[in-house]
Each structure stands twice: as C-alpha cells, then as structure tokens.
Amino acid sequence: QVRKRVIVAHDSLWVLMDDDFRRIAGIGAVFQQRLYDAGITTYAALAGRSPEELAEILRWPVERVTRDRLIEQAAELAAAK
C-alpha cells in the first residue's frame, strides 16, 4: 500500500503520497516496504541510488538489480511525473 504523509506548515495542510514502486517490474509490496523503510519514497530517490545500495536494501544480488533495470525504470517514472 502506498503511504501518505501529512505535513502542516504555516497554517497549510499538505498530504504527500509516496511513489508506488509496484509500478516497477520486479517490485511488489514486500520490496516496496523495504524501500520505504530505508527512506526511499520517490522514483527520483530510487533512481539516484547505486545498484549496490539497492541490492543491500532489497536483499537481492546486484545482478538482479541491474538485470531488472530498477534504476532505469525509476528514472523513467520520475521523468514522467
């Protein structure tokens, strides 16, 4: 499930929704939660990580991160926002 965060600033209420990483092929609910738990909540933030960092967070081999093109998919989704 995509998380929502509420921010109150100067009498304004903002609701920020984390990006839905399940739109990335290879990412399901469990892996999405691992990314959120690591503080990665946007496509841009995911795209800015190295394959090694993502492999550690997701508990995958680096080769899988590369093969599944996680960084490239996240960059494409970030650019389309």
Side-chain angles (χ1 to χ4, degrees), residues 46-65:
L46 194 159
R49 298 297 182 108
S50 71
E52 293 78 16
E53 288 175 299
L54 293 176
E56 184 175 331
I57 291 164
L58 296 171
R59 300 180 207 138
W60 289 2
V62 174
E63 296 78 21
R64 181 175 176 189
V65 173

Side-chain angles (χ1 to χ4, degrees), residues 11-33:
D11 298 326
S12 297
L13 178 67
W14 297 66
V15 177
L16 302 176
M17 295 188 64
D18 296 333
D19 287 338
D20 186 357
F21 294 132
R22 294 169 300 170
R23 293 184 59 197
I24 297 173
I27 299 291
V30 170
F31 297 126
Q32 174 171 261
Q33 190 60 52

